């Protein structure tokens, strides 16, 4: 057991109170309540006492945990209660989970879905809550039987005497534990003793998802609710002047049509929006509203220069030379090292703007009254929405409620709250509850795109093919993609990394594994080409660099653990039988570190009827302790498919400031037939606290794919999307 102090959290973390109808409630500032999410395996207590931020233990032994984080498909609604159940020592089928409402004052922890942080941030809080409950139940039983706590043991929701025959279920003793003081120290299990953590458990909402139960924002309904749609300007750099308002208001099913403005004072990052002034149409059905949108005749005003795809490319090229420097690092004398290098290789990589394309389009419910606002829908940042709505509506934060639904995809798109604000503005104008629904075209042309990037890598080898110089210079619209302190920082004596930004009037935002998804592909493709120039195996070449970082690192710091980084490479090398050639099979490898986790991938590509086909992918992952292997395996598999698909096909082009792609007929996503036929996932076994998992599986896929395609086609791939971009000629110098 590991002892952990609770004294510092006595007031903010744990509370104990009696539950109506009997039982005990363990409150901790991480969970809160909403409505039951699944049918329990045992009887529900006759009455629940509901509070924010609580684990409930009923008199039947049923345990409920309220999940604070938005469920975006990362499966935290399964893994979080698994952690509690482990320390509580309760049967998994005696646990149910409910989605929590927003209450960060109670939680003392942020409530959001992003950065692959849900389990990482919640790990200690969840374990402590479970362990506290177990201890208090044991003390209650010890008092009841007049024995020492040390004479008792608890397992699967039952307390037993170690040297006796008495036993009692948690439900039967729970009501007597409510007066037990929270202990000063808690005993937490050692990883070797875990019974539930590390097992395979199905998604607790899986049956509801596949049977079409109303879980998502698009499903939400409320009596008296009206529907709303919006029309934003057709191009970035434009705004609405006026429109045929009376004609639209006279159409069948239309209740009203008007202009709204969601501009707030001192907007924060989550409020980014290219189009704050919009036309809103309110009515009775989506079909009638879509017809009204088609009948719009709008006068649009130009407020800034329209941008096209060529302008974006030009700005990226110029940005590499004179962009705004955001971050940099320099070790040694890079210029001098390149001057004496025997071989020099330089490559430039680029990637276009991309849409998030969540399966569920943006939507939100709002009911705004004179003094309060109720907001319900799919958001990754409920607190940011609450704060922004307070500013927009001039209503105190405590009078605004934000309830989270399950999300039909997010990938960073739902970090931004403009669609929630639009719903609130429309509801306020109408004086009625409304649900705003975007069409696919609304979403794909609105913005909040993944930025466009361009990076130039340069490496120098000496006469013995040792890497003696390395530089990278990367620019983005608007933020650059370079991480100066990541690999290969610390492995090369002479190293330079510069992150640059350039201006754009297109609204951009985080996209799954922000910046890492591009940088991993570019960096790992380049490392492969450097290894080839050095005449070395690509995995062995990387391992040599990691040995340098472990044994004699360059510079004061680097962001990664070289031992763990090398570990996933060694594991994927073993599992894929790297080095064994098979006829017609072309292999690529990549490894990357982001969101505190390490992932290495080997990808096999074959040529099928003249087209490349990904046959199999091996993944080695070091994310610390794996809570739910079922969910962890699924999310890595999804990241691989996502990475391959976007590297191959995804691109937004612009004409006169307007996105050319407006729906999936012109914006290609990966098809089922184009996905890998097989993906094997292996986790490094260790006792490190869990780190990120939702995003790290995606970035290595691009690099592994590019290298495998090179082996299959003889062409190096530098520019995304690989399927259509002109790869051009690259500069290669042999000294």
């Amino acid at each position: 057991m590991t002892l952990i102090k609770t004294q510092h959290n006595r007031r903010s973390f744990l509370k104990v109170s009696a539950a109506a109808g009997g039982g005990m409630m363990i409150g901790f500032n991480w969970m809160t309540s909403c409505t039951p999410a699944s049918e329990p395996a045992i009887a529900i207590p006759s009455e629940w006492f509901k509070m924010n931020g609580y684990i409930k233990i009923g008199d039947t032994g049923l345990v409920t945990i309220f999940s604070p984080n938005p469920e975006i498909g990362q499966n935290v609604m399964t893994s979080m209660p698994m952690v509690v159940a482990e320390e509580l020592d309760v049967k998994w089928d005696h646990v149910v989970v409910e989605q929590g409402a927003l209450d960060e004052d109670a939680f003392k922890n942020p409530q959001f879905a992003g950065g692959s942080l849900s389990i990482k941030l919640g790990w200690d809080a969840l374990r402590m809550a479970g362990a506290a409950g177990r201890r208090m139940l044991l003390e209650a039983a010890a008092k009841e039987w007049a024995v020492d706590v040390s004479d008792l043991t608890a397992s699967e929701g039952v307390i037993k005497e170690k040297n006796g025959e008495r036993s009692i279920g948690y439900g039967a003793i729970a009501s007597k534990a409510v007066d037990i003081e929270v202990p000063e120290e808690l005993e937490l299990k050692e990883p070797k003793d875990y019974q539930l953590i590390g097992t395979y458990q199905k998604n607790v909402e899986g049956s509801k998802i596949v049977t079409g139960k109303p879980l998502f924002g698009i499903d939400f309904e409320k009596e008296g609710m009206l529907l709303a749609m919006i029309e934003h300007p057709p191009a970035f750099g434009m705004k609405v002047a006026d429109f045929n308002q009376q004609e639209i208001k006279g159409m069948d099913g239309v209740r009203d049509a008007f202009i709204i403005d969601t501009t707030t004072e001192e907007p924060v990052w989550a409020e980014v929006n290219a189009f704050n002034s919009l036309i809103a149409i309110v009515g009775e059905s989506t079909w009638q509203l879509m017809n009204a949108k088609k009948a719009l005749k709008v006068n649009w005003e130009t407020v800034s220069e329209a941008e096209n795809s060529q302008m974006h490319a030009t700005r990226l090229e110029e940005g590499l030379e004179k962009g705004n420097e955001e971050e940099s690092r320099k070790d040694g004398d890079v210029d001098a090292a390149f001057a004496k290098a025997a071989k020099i290789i330089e490559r430039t990589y680029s990637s276009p703007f991309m849409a998030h394309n969540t399966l569920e389009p943006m939507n939100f419910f709002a009911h705004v009254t004179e003094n309060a606002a109720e907001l319900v829908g799919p958001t990754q940042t409920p607190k940011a929405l609450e704060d922004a709505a307070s500013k927009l509506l001039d209503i105190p934060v405590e009078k605004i409620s934000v309830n989270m639904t399950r999300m039909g995809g997010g990938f960073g798109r739902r970090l931004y709250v403009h669609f929630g604000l639009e719903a609130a503005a429309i509801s306020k104008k109408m004086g009625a509850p409304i649900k705003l629904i975007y069409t696919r075209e609304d979403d794909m042309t609105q913005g909040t795109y993944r930025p466009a990037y361009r990076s130039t890598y340069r490496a120098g080898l000496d006469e013995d093919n040792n890497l003696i110089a390395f530089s990278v210079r990367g620019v983005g619209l608007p933020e650059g993609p370079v991480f100066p302190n990541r690999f290969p920082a610390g492995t090369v004596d002479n190293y330079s990394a510069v992150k640059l930004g350039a201006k754009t009037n297109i609204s951009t935002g985080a996209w799954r594994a922000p910046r890492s998804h591009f940088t991993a592909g570019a960096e790992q493709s380049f490392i492969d080409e450097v290894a080839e120039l050095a005449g070395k195996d690509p995995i062995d070449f990387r391992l040599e660099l990691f040995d340098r970082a472990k044994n004699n690192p360059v510079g004061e710091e680097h962001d990664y653990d070289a031992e763990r980084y090398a570990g996933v490479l060694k594991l994927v090398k073993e599992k894929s039988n790297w080095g064994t050639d098979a006829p017609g099979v072309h292999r690529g490898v990549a490894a990357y570190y982001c969101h505190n986790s390490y992932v290495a991938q080997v990808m096999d590509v074959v040529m099928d009827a003249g087209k490349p086909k990904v046959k199999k992918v091996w993944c080695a992952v070091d994310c610390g302790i794996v809570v739910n292997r079922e969910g962890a395996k699924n999310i890595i598999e999804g990241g691989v498919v996502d990475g391959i698909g976007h590297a191959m096909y995804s691109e937004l082009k612009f004409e006169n400031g307007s996105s050319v792609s407006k729906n999936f007929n012109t914006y290609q996503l990966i098809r089922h037939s184009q996905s890998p036929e097989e993906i094997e996932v292996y986790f490094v076994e260790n006792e490190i606290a869990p780190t990120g998992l939702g995003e790290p599986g995606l970035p290595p896929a691009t690099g592994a794919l590019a290298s495998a395609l090179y082996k299959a086609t003889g062409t190096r791939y530098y520019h995304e999307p690989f399927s259509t971009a002109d790869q051009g000629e690259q500069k290669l110098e042999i000294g």
Side-chain angles (χ1 to χ4, degrees):
M1 291 284 188
T2 298
L3 286 176
I4 186 167
K5 290 279 188 179
T6 61
Q7 180 68 31
H8 67 286
N9 278 330
R10 286 286 292 280
R11 293 181 180 177
S12 65
F13 179 72
L14 288 165
K15 294 180 182 177
V16 181
S17 62
M24 174 181 67
M25 302 187 72
I26 309 163
F28 64 110
N29 292 330
W30 182 237
M31 303 297 168
T32 188
S33 64
C34 190
T35 55
S38 61
E39 293 297 325
I42 57 177
I44 299 176
S46 58
E47 187 179 2
W48 287 113
F49 184 68
K50 295 183 179 180
M51 288 182 65
N52 289 329
Y54 283 82
I55 296 172
K56 298 190 298 188
I57 300 180
D59 51 11
T60 64
L62 181 68
V63 179
T64 300
I65 184 172
F66 304 103
S67 181
N69 290 43
E71 177 53 69
I72 198 173
Q74 78 279 48
N75 211 16
V76 293
M77 289 190 72
T78 303
S79 52
M80 281 185 161
M82 285 178 67
V83 178
V84 177
E86 179 68 71
E87 293 290 352
L88 186 60
D89 263 318
V90 65
K91 287 183 178 180
W92 178 237
D93 60 3
H94 288 188
V95 175
V96 294
V97 59
E98 301 177 9
Q99 175 63 60
L102 177 63
D103 192 346
E104 289 194 344
D105 287 340
F107 299 147
K108 309 301 181 187
N109 275 295
Q111 285 179 271
F112 67 94
S116 300
L117 289 169
S118 294
I119 296 298
K120 177 179 169 60
L121 294 181
W123 176 245
D124 286 339
L126 294 164
R127 290 192 301 156
M128 289 171 69
R134 181 180 184 274
R135 173 72 183 189
M136 293 152 65
L137 290 162
L138 282 168
E139 291 195 10
K143 183 177 181 180
E144 182 78 2
W145 292 340
V147 298
D148 289 335
V149 172
S150 60
D151 295 328
L152 304 177
T153 184
S155 178
E156 295 189 333
V158 178
I159 297 170
K160 297 179 180 179
E161 286 185 291
K162 292 180 179 178
N163 300 309
E165 297 183 355
R166 285 181 293 187
S167 66
I168 189 169
Y170 281 2
I173 197 64
S175 62
K176 296 184 179 180
V178 296
D179 294 325
I180 302 296
E181 186 177 356
V182 177
E184 296 289 333
E185 290 184 330
L186 291 173
E187 287 187 335
L188 301 180
K189 289 184 179 181
E190 299 292 343
K192 65 181 177 61
D193 297 321
Y194 289 158
Q195 298 296 312
L196 182 57
I197 290 174
T199 62
Y200 289 82
Q201 301 298 333
K202 296 295 183 183
N203 186 327
V204 294
E205 291 192 318
S207 62
K208 292 184 177 181
I209 294 170
V210 299
T211 55
K213 296 294 190 299
L215 295 170
F216 301 91
I218 203 77
D219 300 323
F220 186 83
E221 293 185 359
K222 193 166 187 176
E223 186 175 355
M225 179 183 78
L226 297 172
L227 300 180
M229 285 188 169
I230 55 96
E231 183 78 4
H232 63 65
F236 295 92
M238 301 185 77
K239 72 175 185 177
V240 60
D242 55 60
F243 70 103
N244 55 333
Q245 184 177 25
Q246 293 306 312
E247 180 183 347
I248 298 301
K249 290 171 67 173
M251 294 183 68
D252 288 344
V254 175
R255 295 286 189 92
D256 205 348
F258 44 83
I259 296 173
I260 60 168
D261 192 323
T262 58
T263 303
T264 59
E265 292 185 8
E266 299 180 358
V268 299
W269 67 269
E271 296 169 51
V272 62
N273 190 7
F275 307 117
N276 289 109
S277 180
L278 307 160
I279 297 170
I281 309 174
V282 182
E284 300 167 1
S285 75
T286 54
W287 178 250
Q288 291 167 323
L289 293 177
M290 291 171 77
N291 284 332
K293 278 167 62 71
K294 292 176 183 177
L296 281 169
K297 299 173 185 175
V298 189
N299 291 318
W300 304 105
E301 292 181 350
T302 299
V303 294
S304 66
E305 182 181 21
E307 297 188 359
N308 56 39
S309 298
Q310 184 57 45
M311 288 179 64
H312 301 151
T314 300
R315 287 190 180 185
L316 286 171
E317 290 172 2
E318 292 176 348
L320 278 177
E321 297 301 320
K322 53 185 179 182
N324 176 45
E325 183 173 318
E326 299 170 327
E327 190 178 355
S328 65
R329 170 175 174 154
K330 188 173 183 179
D331 297 327
D333 191 334
V334 178
D335 292 338
F338 275 118
K340 67 179 183 180
K343 299 175 184 177
I344 297 174
I345 184 172
E346 181 176 304
R347 296 289 184 261
T348 295
Y349 301 81
S350 67
S351 186
F353 287 102
M354 293 184 188
H356 292 79
N357 282 326
T358 62
L359 182 61
E360 177 193 22
M362 301 305 106
N363 66 89
F364 229 84
F365 169 85
H367 187 193
V368 178
T369 59
E370 184 178 353
N371 300 312
E374 176 192 10
L375 304 174
V376 183
T379 175
Q380 293 178 242
T381 51
K383 179 57 180 173
L385 175 57
E386 181 184 70
D387 291 341
S390 176
K391 291 187 293 183
L392 178 70
L393 302 171
D394 195 23
I395 294 176
V397 169
E398 57 270 20
K399 295 295 184 179
I400 295 175
S401 67
V402 177
N403 289 307
M404 294 162 275
T405 63
R406 191 178 186 93
M407 280 171 268
F411 316 115
R413 177 66 180 87
R414 288 185 160 98
L415 290 169
Y416 306 96
V417 301
H418 60 88
F419 50 97
L421 295 180
E422 290 159 9
I426 296 169
S427 176
K428 181 178 181 179
K429 176 74 173 180
M430 291 296 297
I434 68 98
K435 180 165 72 175
L436 171 66
I437 301 174
Y438 273 32
T439 63
R440 179 65 58 189
E441 290 81 0
D442 292 332
D443 192 33
M444 286 190 68
T445 57
Q446 184 273 339
T448 324
Y449 302 131
R450 194 214 72 163
Y453 297 119
R454 192 176 187 90
S455 290
T456 295
Y457 287 78
R458 199 169 188 234
L461 303 175
D462 65 14
E463 293 179 351
D464 296 321
N465 287 320
N466 297 308
L467 181 63
I468 60 170
F470 189 99
S471 70
V472 56
R473 188 176 178 89
V475 66
L477 296 175
E479 182 187 21
V482 176
F483 298 87
N485 292 322
R486 288 190 185 172
F487 178 81
T491 71
V492 189
D493 287 324
N494 305 288
Y495 170 83
S496 172
V498 181
K499 174 188 172 187
L500 302 157
K503 291 182 178 180
T504 177
N505 68 355
I506 292 177
S507 56
T508 63
W511 190 97
R512 190 175 186 180
R515 295 191 287 147
S516 295
H517 52 256
F518 167 74
T519 295
E523 169 203 288
Q524 290 294 293
S525 296
F526 183 67
I527 291 293
D528 249 45
E529 203 163 349
V530 175
E532 183 181 59
L533 183 63
K536 298 180 179 180
D537 175 88
I539 291 183
D540 292 342
F541 180 67
R542 288 169 170 84
L543 291 176
E544 287 179 13
L545 296 176
F546 287 129
D547 283 342
R548 175 67 191 275
K550 286 187 291 184
N551 301 321
N552 187 23
V554 179
E556 295 184 359
E557 63 176 14
H558 48 274
D559 291 348
Y560 57 90
D561 183 321
E563 185 72 37
R564 295 177 68 188
Y565 218 147
V568 290
L569 265 173
K570 292 175 181 177
L571 181 58
V572 83
K573 180 179 181 180
E574 171 198 339
K575 297 300 183 181
S576 66
N577 292 314
W578 181 266
T580 58
D581 296 329
V585 178
H586 312 280
R587 306 193 118 180
V589 65
Y592 200 69
Y593 160 79
C594 69
H595 298 85
N596 304 292
S597 294
Y598 305 80
V599 179
Q601 296 174 6
V602 168
M603 192 173 297
D604 280 1
V605 168
V606 299
M607 297 303 292
D608 184 3
K611 296 181 180 180
K613 168 67 179 175
V614 181
K615 292 289 287 185
K616 187 169 182 177
V617 183
W618 289 263
C619 305
V621 183
D622 185 347
C623 59
I625 294 168
V626 180
V627 176
N628 179 13
R629 290 181 183 270
E630 177 82 7
K633 178 175 178 286
N634 290 344
I635 207 162
I636 292 296
E637 292 171 339
V640 170
V641 175
D642 207 11
I644 293 171
H646 283 90
M648 283 295 295
Y649 307 113
S650 296
E651 179 182 23
L652 281 171
K653 292 184 178 180
F654 297 84
E655 291 181 0
N656 299 319
S658 178
S659 171
V660 174
S661 299
K662 294 179 171 57
N663 212 315
F664 296 139
N665 61 324
T666 54
Y667 189 96
Q668 185 176 347
L669 295 176
I670 192 169
R671 308 295 196 257
H672 284 291
S673 62
Q674 297 164 330
S675 298
E677 293 183 2
E678 187 177 0
I679 302 174
E680 290 186 8
V681 181
Y682 299 91
F683 294 99
V684 174
E685 303 297 334
N686 57 41
E687 297 184 358
I688 298 170
T691 52
L693 200 58
E695 290 157 292
L698 185 150
T702 303
L705 175 65
S707 297
L709 288 175
Y710 163 66
K711 301 286 182 58
T713 67
T715 299
R716 287 284 183 184
Y717 291 84
Y718 305 104
H719 308 292
E720 299 177 38
F722 294 161
S723 61
T724 58
D726 180 7
Q727 300 305 317
E729 297 253 339
Q730 295 282 343
K731 184 178 179 182
L732 177 62
E733 300 175 22
I734 303 295

